[in-house]
């Protein structure tokens, strides 16, 4: 289960989700004891800039998600709390909210 968003010309467009989850923060989806969300950008440069902003945020809050850059412009964020047995905790919901505040990508 996942959600995909696209940023083009500074606008965010909802593209696809395989299931609507009203209980998830801003379309983050619970899957395999983690929260995940996929973002699609116009190009590699925008995707990489977003990855770096997520990395800066993760370092600041000291909670580090799994970040994957796929197909040159898709960023997949997956977060769980390692010291809680790789389960979803309040740290993950807080990080998801922080990451959402980065979207859409601002120069």
């Amino acid at each position: 289960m996942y959600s995909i968003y696209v940023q083009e010309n500074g606008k965010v467009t909802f593209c696809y989700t395989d299931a609507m989850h009203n209980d998830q923060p801003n379309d983050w989806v619970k899957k395999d004891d983690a929260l995940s969300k996929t973002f699609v950008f116009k190009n590699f440069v925008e995707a990489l800039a977003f990855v770096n902003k997520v990395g800066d945020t993760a370092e600041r809050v000291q909670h580090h998600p799994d970040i994957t850059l796929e197909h040159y412009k898709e960023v997949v964020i997956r977060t769980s709390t390692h010291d809680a047995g790789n389960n979803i905790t309040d740290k993950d919901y807080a990080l998801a909210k922080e990451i959402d505040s980065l979207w859409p990508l601002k120069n």
Side-chain angles (χ1 to χ4, degrees):
M1 297 191 308
Y2 57 93
S3 299
I4 296 177
Y5 294 80
V6 174
Q7 177 174 320
E8 292 183 24
N9 300 324
K11 296 179 183 175
V12 176
T13 304
F14 179 78
C15 283
Y16 174 81
T17 184
D18 66 342
M20 296 304 292
H21 296 277
N22 294 329
D23 60 330
Q24 298 306 309
N26 296 312
D27 297 314
W28 286 78
V29 176
K30 286 183 185 179
K31 182 179 180 184
D32 300 327
D33 295 323
L35 291 178
S36 65
K37 189 170 182 175
T38 300
F39 300 88
V40 180
F41 294 85
K42 211 168 48 171
N43 55 47
F44 178 79
V45 172
E46 286 186 3
L48 189 57
F50 184 72
V51 166
N52 288 326
K53 287 187 178 289
V54 171
D56 291 343
T57 298
E59 222 11 61
R60 180 176 49 79
V61 300
Q62 286 300 295
H63 190 57
H64 304 94
D66 294 330
I67 304 171
T68 307
L69 179 54
E70 300 177 347
H71 308 292
Y72 82 88
K73 63 180 186 175
E74 295 178 13
V75 177
V76 180
I77 308 290
R78 186 175 183 280
T79 183
S80 64
T81 303
H82 307 293
D83 59 359
N86 292 320
N87 289 299
I88 299 168
T89 68
D90 289 342
K91 287 182 179 182
D92 300 297
Y93 288 105
L95 182 60
K97 184 176 179 181
E98 290 274 347
I99 292 170
D100 280 340
S101 75
L102 304 173
W103 183 261
L105 188 62
K106 297 170 182 69
N107 296 331

